[in-house]
Amino acid sequence: MRNLPGIFALILISAFILPVLSTADNTSDSKQMWAAGKAFWDEKQYDEALVSFTNATTLDPTNVDAWFYTGLTLARLGKNGDAISAYETVSKLDPTNAAAWFNKGTNLATLNRTDEALSAYDKAIDLDPAYAFPWYNKGNIQADAGNYEEALKSYNRAIELDPTFTIAWKGKGSALAKLGRTSESVDAYNTAHQLEE
């Protein structure tokens, strides 16, 4: 009978330690599943990658890398709506993640949700003002809508941030051509050609 308090103490300690160990195991297993998924991703085995990333997020719902790559993988599989949801989860877990907003914008644009895409690109730019890709993608949406002056501003900003951004130079060349600024357009295309050499 005297051992009962000791047994109760052991049970009580176990009740606190086992969940901690279980959480640590889940986090470790989640990281291993993410690593397996990344290996599949690198080999372009997207179905297998998605299974691993999904397992990783199930084991640890706070695994930002697994959620981010879930979004990338879903987009590769043409599941843009699901990819957007994955990026929204990344943004909740890591509110400073500009790449999640950029990728969300890209998936929104693919679904022709252009106003939402532009807002997502603006958020990515707010989070990382030196991020050239959202400016380039904004330019593409603006050009597709026939807003060539706005597109030109976006392409120019992308080029300011990254003067070697070849496709931004091509976008600039196209926008200038649409605006009837032929010699400037030729110069932009020439710069793009030189960067490709």
Side-chain angles (χ1 to χ4, degrees), residues 127-149:
L127 291 169
D128 184 357
Y131 198 0
F133 276 97
W135 284 107
Y136 169 73
N137 280 18
K138 276 184 69 166
N140 289 340
I141 290 174
Q142 292 159 336
D144 288 345
N147 299 326
Y148 301 114
E149 289 287 356

Side-chain angles (χ1 to χ4, degrees), residues 9-136:
L10 185 59
I11 291 170
L12 189 59
I13 290 169
S14 296
F16 286 107
I17 291 176
L18 289 177
V20 171
L21 290 176
S22 177
T23 301
D25 288 345
N26 283 353
T27 300
S28 176
D29 290 345
S30 177
K31 288 178 182 176
Q32 289 177 3
M33 291 305 300
W34 176 85
K38 181 67 169 69
F40 285 126
W41 166 266
D42 290 343
E43 294 297 318
K44 298 180 174 38
Q45 296 177 28
Y46 300 120
D47 289 320
E48 293 85 351
L50 184 59
V51 170
S52 294
F53 295 138
T54 300
N55 287 336
T57 59
T58 301
L59 287 165
D60 179 7
T62 66
N63 186 332
V64 174
D65 291 332
W67 279 112
F68 188 84
Y69 271 88
T70 297
L72 290 176
T73 307
L74 287 164
R76 288 292 170 116
L77 294 171
K79 299 177 180 180
N80 300 97
D82 293 334
I84 291 165
S85 296
Y87 293 126
E88 287 171 349
T89 301
V90 172
S91 298
K92 287 175 190 165
L93 294 170
D94 179 7
T96 64
N97 194 317
W101 282 99
F102 169 73
N103 287 337
K104 178 181 176 181
T106 301
N107 284 275
L108 286 164
T110 300
L111 296 173
N112 295 316
R113 293 163 58 182
T114 54
D115 289 341
E116 293 172 85
L118 289 170
S119 294
Y121 293 141
D122 285 339
K123 182 66 175 178
I125 290 164
D126 287 344
L127 291 169
D128 184 357
Y131 198 0
F133 276 97
W135 284 107
Y136 169 73

Side-chain angles (χ1 to χ4, degrees), residues 162-179:
D162 181 1
T164 65
F165 199 165
T166 306
I167 55 176
W169 280 102
K170 290 179 181 179
K172 178 178 179 173
S174 176
L176 286 164
K178 295 287 188 181
L179 292 168

Side-chain angles (χ1 to χ4, degrees), residues 159 162-173 176 183-197:
I159 291 165
D162 181 1
T164 65
F165 199 165
T166 306
I167 55 176
W169 280 102
K170 290 179 181 179
K172 178 178 179 173
L176 286 164
S183 68
E184 292 173 84
S185 173
V186 169
D187 289 343
Y189 280 121
N190 283 339
T191 301
H193 179 68
Q194 289 166 4
L195 289 168
E196 290 176 330
E197 289 180 343

